[in-house]
Short mmCIF file of all heavy atoms in Angstrom, two decimals:
data_model
loop_
_atom_site.label_atom_id
_atom_site.label_comp_id
_atom_site.label_asym_id
_atom_site.label_seq_id
_atom_site.Cartn_x
_atom_site.Cartn_y
_atom_site.Cartn_z
N LEU J 7 28.18 229.28 92.81
CA LEU J 7 29.11 230.21 93.45
C LEU J 7 28.39 231.49 93.86
O LEU J 7 27.68 232.10 93.07
CB LEU J 7 30.27 230.54 92.50
CG LEU J 7 31.07 229.34 91.99
CD1 LEU J 7 32.14 229.78 91.01
CD2 LEU J 7 31.70 228.57 93.15
N GLY J 8 28.59 231.89 95.11
CA GLY J 8 28.00 233.13 95.60
C GLY J 8 26.53 233.03 95.97
O GLY J 8 25.92 234.01 96.38
N ALA J 9 25.95 231.84 95.84
CA ALA J 9 24.53 231.67 96.14
C ALA J 9 24.36 231.17 97.57
O ALA J 9 24.98 230.18 97.97
CB ALA J 9 23.90 230.68 95.17
N GLU J 10 23.53 231.85 98.34
CA GLU J 10 23.25 231.40 99.71
C GLU J 10 22.41 230.13 99.65
O GLU J 10 21.47 230.03 98.87
CB GLU J 10 22.51 232.49 100.48
CG GLU J 10 22.39 232.21 101.97
CD GLU J 10 21.82 233.39 102.74
OE1 GLU J 10 21.37 234.36 102.10
OE2 GLU J 10 21.81 233.33 103.98
N ASP J 11 22.76 229.14 100.44
CA ASP J 11 22.05 227.86 100.43
C ASP J 11 22.07 227.28 101.84
O ASP J 11 23.11 226.86 102.34
CB ASP J 11 22.73 226.89 99.45
CG ASP J 11 21.94 225.59 99.26
OD1 ASP J 11 20.99 225.36 100.03
OD2 ASP J 11 22.29 224.82 98.35
N LYS J 12 20.90 227.28 102.49
CA LYS J 12 20.80 226.80 103.87
C LYS J 12 20.15 225.42 103.96
O LYS J 12 19.63 225.04 105.00
CB LYS J 12 20.03 227.82 104.71
CG LYS J 12 20.78 229.14 104.88
CD LYS J 12 20.05 230.13 105.77
CE LYS J 12 18.88 230.76 105.07
NZ LYS J 12 18.28 231.86 105.86
N THR J 13 20.25 224.66 102.86
CA THR J 13 19.75 223.29 102.86
C THR J 13 20.54 222.45 103.86
O THR J 13 21.78 222.52 103.90
CB THR J 13 19.91 222.65 101.46
OG1 THR J 13 19.25 223.48 100.50
CG2 THR J 13 19.32 221.25 101.43
N VAL J 14 19.86 221.67 104.69
CA VAL J 14 20.55 220.79 105.63
C VAL J 14 21.09 219.59 104.86
O VAL J 14 20.34 218.86 104.22
CB VAL J 14 19.60 220.31 106.75
CG1 VAL J 14 20.32 219.33 107.68
CG2 VAL J 14 19.08 221.50 107.55
N VAL J 15 22.40 219.38 104.93
CA VAL J 15 23.00 218.22 104.25
C VAL J 15 23.44 217.14 105.24
O VAL J 15 23.58 215.98 104.87
CB VAL J 15 24.20 218.62 103.36
CG1 VAL J 15 23.73 219.41 102.17
CG2 VAL J 15 25.24 219.40 104.14
N LEU J 16 23.62 217.51 106.49
CA LEU J 16 23.98 216.52 107.50
C LEU J 16 23.67 217.03 108.90
O LEU J 16 24.03 218.15 109.25
CB LEU J 16 25.48 216.17 107.41
CG LEU J 16 26.03 215.25 108.51
CD1 LEU J 16 25.35 213.89 108.44
CD2 LEU J 16 27.53 215.09 108.37
N LYS J 17 22.99 216.19 109.67
CA LYS J 17 22.73 216.50 111.08
C LYS J 17 23.10 215.27 111.88
O LYS J 17 22.68 214.15 111.56
CB LYS J 17 21.26 216.83 111.30
CG LYS J 17 20.92 217.10 112.78
CD LYS J 17 19.42 217.10 113.02
CE LYS J 17 18.86 215.69 113.08
NZ LYS J 17 17.43 215.64 113.48
N LYS J 18 23.91 215.47 112.92
CA LYS J 18 24.25 214.37 113.83
C LYS J 18 24.16 214.89 115.26
O LYS J 18 24.67 215.96 115.58
CB LYS J 18 25.67 213.86 113.56
CG LYS J 18 25.86 213.21 112.20
CD LYS J 18 27.21 212.50 112.08
CE LYS J 18 28.36 213.49 112.08
NZ LYS J 18 29.65 212.79 111.89
N CYS J 19 23.50 214.11 116.11
CA CYS J 19 23.36 214.49 117.51
C CYS J 19 23.85 213.35 118.40
O CYS J 19 23.57 212.18 118.12
CB CYS J 19 21.90 214.79 117.86
SG CYS J 19 21.14 216.09 116.87
N GLY J 20 24.56 213.70 119.44
CA GLY J 20 25.07 212.70 120.37
C GLY J 20 24.03 212.30 121.40
O GLY J 20 22.89 212.75 121.37
N PRO J 21 24.41 211.44 122.34
CA PRO J 21 23.49 211.02 123.41
C PRO J 21 23.18 212.18 124.34
O PRO J 21 23.95 213.13 124.45
CB PRO J 21 24.28 209.92 124.12
CG PRO J 21 25.72 210.25 123.86
CD PRO J 21 25.76 210.82 122.48
N SER J 22 22.05 212.09 125.00
CA SER J 22 21.63 213.16 125.89
C SER J 22 22.50 213.21 127.15
O SER J 22 22.91 212.18 127.67
CB SER J 22 20.17 212.95 126.30
OG SER J 22 19.79 213.91 127.27
N ILE J 23 22.77 214.43 127.61
CA ILE J 23 23.49 214.60 128.87
C ILE J 23 22.49 214.89 129.99
O ILE J 23 22.86 215.30 131.09
CB ILE J 23 24.54 215.73 128.80
CG1 ILE J 23 23.90 217.04 128.34
CG2 ILE J 23 25.69 215.34 127.91
CD1 ILE J 23 24.86 218.22 128.33
N GLY J 24 21.21 214.69 129.68
CA GLY J 24 20.17 214.89 130.69
C GLY J 24 19.98 216.35 131.03
O GLY J 24 20.12 217.22 130.18
N SER J 25 19.69 216.61 132.27
CA SER J 25 19.38 217.99 132.68
C SER J 25 20.55 218.62 133.45
O SER J 25 20.33 219.36 134.40
CB SER J 25 18.12 218.00 133.55
OG SER J 25 18.29 217.14 134.66
N ASN J 26 21.77 218.28 133.04
CA ASN J 26 22.95 218.87 133.69
C ASN J 26 23.00 220.35 133.34
O ASN J 26 23.47 220.75 132.28
CB ASN J 26 24.22 218.15 133.20
CG ASN J 26 25.46 218.61 133.96
OD1 ASN J 26 25.60 219.79 134.29
ND2 ASN J 26 26.36 217.68 134.23
N SER J 27 22.47 221.17 134.24
CA SER J 27 22.28 222.59 133.93
C SER J 27 23.60 223.31 133.69
O SER J 27 23.67 224.22 132.86
CB SER J 27 21.49 223.27 135.05
OG SER J 27 22.19 223.16 136.28
N ASP J 28 24.65 222.93 134.40
CA ASP J 28 25.94 223.60 134.22
C ASP J 28 26.49 223.37 132.82
O ASP J 28 26.92 224.30 132.14
CB ASP J 28 26.94 223.11 135.28
CG ASP J 28 28.30 223.82 135.14
OD1 ASP J 28 28.33 225.06 135.26
OD2 ASP J 28 29.30 223.12 134.91
N GLU J 29 26.46 222.12 132.38
CA GLU J 29 26.97 221.81 131.04
C GLU J 29 26.11 222.45 129.96
O GLU J 29 26.64 222.98 128.97
CB GLU J 29 27.02 220.28 130.84
CG GLU J 29 28.11 219.60 131.65
CD GLU J 29 28.25 218.13 131.28
OE1 GLU J 29 27.76 217.73 130.21
OE2 GLU J 29 28.84 217.38 132.08
N LEU J 30 24.79 222.42 130.13
CA LEU J 30 23.91 223.03 129.13
C LEU J 30 24.07 224.54 129.11
O LEU J 30 24.02 225.16 128.05
CB LEU J 30 22.46 222.65 129.42
CG LEU J 30 22.09 221.18 129.19
CD1 LEU J 30 20.65 220.92 129.62
CD2 LEU J 30 22.28 220.80 127.72
N THR J 31 24.29 225.14 130.28
CA THR J 31 24.52 226.58 130.34
C THR J 31 25.79 226.96 129.60
O THR J 31 25.82 227.93 128.84
CB THR J 31 24.60 227.06 131.81
OG1 THR J 31 23.35 226.80 132.45
CG2 THR J 31 24.90 228.54 131.88
N ARG J 32 26.84 226.18 129.83
CA ARG J 32 28.10 226.45 129.12
C ARG J 32 27.93 226.25 127.62
O ARG J 32 28.43 227.03 126.81
CB ARG J 32 29.21 225.54 129.65
CG ARG J 32 29.71 225.90 131.04
CD ARG J 32 30.81 224.97 131.51
NE ARG J 32 31.31 225.37 132.82
CZ ARG J 32 32.25 226.30 133.02
NH1 ARG J 32 32.80 226.90 132.00
NH2 ARG J 32 32.65 226.60 134.23
N ARG J 33 27.22 225.20 127.23
CA ARG J 33 26.97 224.94 125.82
C ARG J 33 26.24 226.12 125.18
O ARG J 33 26.60 226.61 124.11
CB ARG J 33 26.15 223.65 125.68
CG ARG J 33 25.99 223.09 124.25
CD ARG J 33 24.85 223.73 123.47
NE ARG J 33 23.58 223.78 124.14
CZ ARG J 33 22.66 222.82 124.14
NH1 ARG J 33 22.90 221.70 123.47
NH2 ARG J 33 21.51 222.98 124.76
N ASP J 34 25.18 226.58 125.85
CA ASP J 34 24.39 227.69 125.31
C ASP J 34 25.21 228.97 125.22
O ASP J 34 25.04 229.77 124.29
CB ASP J 34 23.14 227.93 126.18
CG ASP J 34 22.11 226.83 126.01
OD1 ASP J 34 22.24 226.03 125.05
OD2 ASP J 34 21.18 226.75 126.84
N ALA J 35 26.10 229.18 126.20
CA ALA J 35 26.95 230.36 126.17
C ALA J 35 27.92 230.31 124.99
O ALA J 35 28.15 231.31 124.31
CB ALA J 35 27.72 230.48 127.48
N VAL J 36 28.48 229.14 124.76
CA VAL J 36 29.41 228.98 123.62
C VAL J 36 28.68 229.24 122.31
O VAL J 36 29.17 229.96 121.43
CB VAL J 36 30.03 227.56 123.62
CG1 VAL J 36 30.79 227.31 122.33
CG2 VAL J 36 30.98 227.42 124.82
N LEU J 37 27.48 228.66 122.15
CA LEU J 37 26.73 228.85 120.92
C LEU J 37 26.29 230.31 120.75
O LEU J 37 26.28 230.83 119.63
CB LEU J 37 25.51 227.92 120.90
CG LEU J 37 25.82 226.42 120.79
CD1 LEU J 37 24.54 225.61 120.80
CD2 LEU J 37 26.65 226.11 119.54
N ALA J 38 25.96 230.98 121.85
CA ALA J 38 25.61 232.40 121.77
C ALA J 38 26.80 233.23 121.32
O ALA J 38 26.67 234.15 120.51
CB ALA J 38 25.10 232.88 123.13
N TYR J 39 27.98 232.89 121.83
CA TYR J 39 29.20 233.58 121.43
C TYR J 39 29.47 233.38 119.94
O TYR J 39 29.81 234.32 119.21
CB TYR J 39 30.38 233.04 122.25
CG TYR J 39 31.74 233.49 121.75
CD1 TYR J 39 32.19 234.78 122.00
CD2 TYR J 39 32.55 232.63 121.02
CE1 TYR J 39 33.43 235.20 121.53
CE2 TYR J 39 33.79 233.03 120.55
CZ TYR J 39 34.22 234.32 120.81
OH TYR J 39 35.44 234.73 120.34
N LEU J 40 29.28 232.15 119.46
CA LEU J 40 29.53 231.86 118.05
C LEU J 40 28.49 232.51 117.15
O LEU J 40 28.81 232.93 116.03
CB LEU J 40 29.53 230.34 117.82
CG LEU J 40 30.65 229.56 118.53
CD1 LEU J 40 30.46 228.06 118.34
CD2 LEU J 40 32.02 229.98 118.02
N THR J 41 27.26 232.64 117.63
CA THR J 41 26.20 233.27 116.84
C THR J 41 26.51 234.74 116.58
O THR J 41 26.20 235.28 115.52
CB THR J 41 24.84 233.16 117.55
OG1 THR J 41 24.55 231.79 117.81
CG2 THR J 41 23.72 233.74 116.71
N ALA J 42 27.14 235.38 117.55
CA ALA J 42 27.43 236.81 117.44
C ALA J 42 28.76 237.06 116.75
O ALA J 42 29.42 238.06 117.03
CB ALA J 42 27.42 237.44 118.83
N GLY J 43 29.16 236.18 115.88
CA GLY J 43 30.50 236.21 115.31
C GLY J 43 30.81 237.33 114.36
O GLY J 43 31.29 238.39 114.74
N GLY J 44 30.51 237.15 113.07
CA GLY J 44 30.91 238.13 112.08
C GLY J 44 32.14 237.72 111.31
O GLY J 44 32.65 238.48 110.49
N GLN J 45 32.66 236.52 111.56
CA GLN J 45 33.78 236.00 110.81
C GLN J 45 33.37 234.73 110.09
O GLN J 45 32.38 234.10 110.44
CB GLN J 45 34.98 235.69 111.73
CG GLN J 45 35.52 236.90 112.47
CD GLN J 45 35.14 236.89 113.95
OE1 GLN J 45 34.22 236.19 114.35
NE2 GLN J 45 35.83 237.69 114.74
N TYR J 46 34.16 234.34 109.08
CA TYR J 46 33.87 233.12 108.33
C TYR J 46 34.22 231.87 109.13
O TYR J 46 33.68 230.80 108.88
CB TYR J 46 34.64 233.12 107.00
CG TYR J 46 34.10 234.10 105.99
CD1 TYR J 46 34.77 235.30 105.72
CD2 TYR J 46 32.90 233.84 105.32
CE1 TYR J 46 34.26 236.20 104.79
CE2 TYR J 46 32.39 234.74 104.40
CZ TYR J 46 33.07 235.91 104.14
OH TYR J 46 32.56 236.81 103.23
N PHE J 47 35.13 232.00 110.07
CA PHE J 47 35.52 230.86 110.90
C PHE J 47 35.66 231.35 112.34
O PHE J 47 36.29 232.39 112.59
CB PHE J 47 36.85 230.27 110.43
CG PHE J 47 37.40 229.20 111.35
CD1 PHE J 47 36.85 227.93 111.37
CD2 PHE J 47 38.48 229.48 112.18
CE1 PHE J 47 37.36 226.94 112.21
CE2 PHE J 47 39.01 228.50 113.03
CZ PHE J 47 38.45 227.22 113.03
N ARG J 48 35.05 230.62 113.27
CA ARG J 48 35.14 231.04 114.66
C ARG J 48 35.06 229.84 115.58
O ARG J 48 34.30 228.91 115.32
CB ARG J 48 33.99 232.01 114.99
CG ARG J 48 34.22 232.78 116.29
CD ARG J 48 33.17 233.86 116.49
NE ARG J 48 33.65 234.83 117.47
CZ ARG J 48 32.91 235.80 117.98
NH1 ARG J 48 31.66 235.94 117.60
NH2 ARG J 48 33.41 236.64 118.86
N VAL J 49 35.85 229.85 116.63
CA VAL J 49 35.81 228.81 117.64
C VAL J 49 35.66 229.47 119.01
O VAL J 49 36.01 230.63 119.19
CB VAL J 49 37.09 227.93 117.63
CG1 VAL J 49 37.19 227.13 116.35
CG2 VAL J 49 38.34 228.78 117.84
N GLY J 50 35.13 228.71 119.94
CA GLY J 50 34.99 229.21 121.30
C GLY J 50 34.82 228.05 122.25
O GLY J 50 34.40 226.96 121.85
N GLY J 51 35.16 228.28 123.52
CA GLY J 51 35.03 227.20 124.48
C GLY J 51 34.90 227.71 125.89
O GLY J 51 35.34 228.81 126.21
#
């Protein structure tokens, strides 16, 4: 309890969407938004 632990317990990746720049740009923007969070739970789309 209260101990930070960044051990990877599960990683799953889907099939590649190739070089679809629009989709990857949107994905990166969503992840950037979530990275700058500051809350325990956050969603974005």
Side-chain angles (χ1 to χ4, degrees):
L7 303 177
E10 190 173 8
D11 187 350
K12 293 183 285 188
T13 305
V14 177
V15 291
L16 174 63
K17 177 193 78 173
K18 295 190 292 183
C19 302
S22 174
I23 55 176
S25 56
N26 187 322
S27 60
D28 181 60
E29 289 187 17
L30 291 175
T31 297
R32 287 180 178 275
R33 190 276 310 273
D34 288 347
V36 170
L37 292 179
Y39 169 77
L40 296 174
T41 303
Q45 299 106 342
Y46 288 105
F47 173 75
R48 195 172 198 188
V49 294

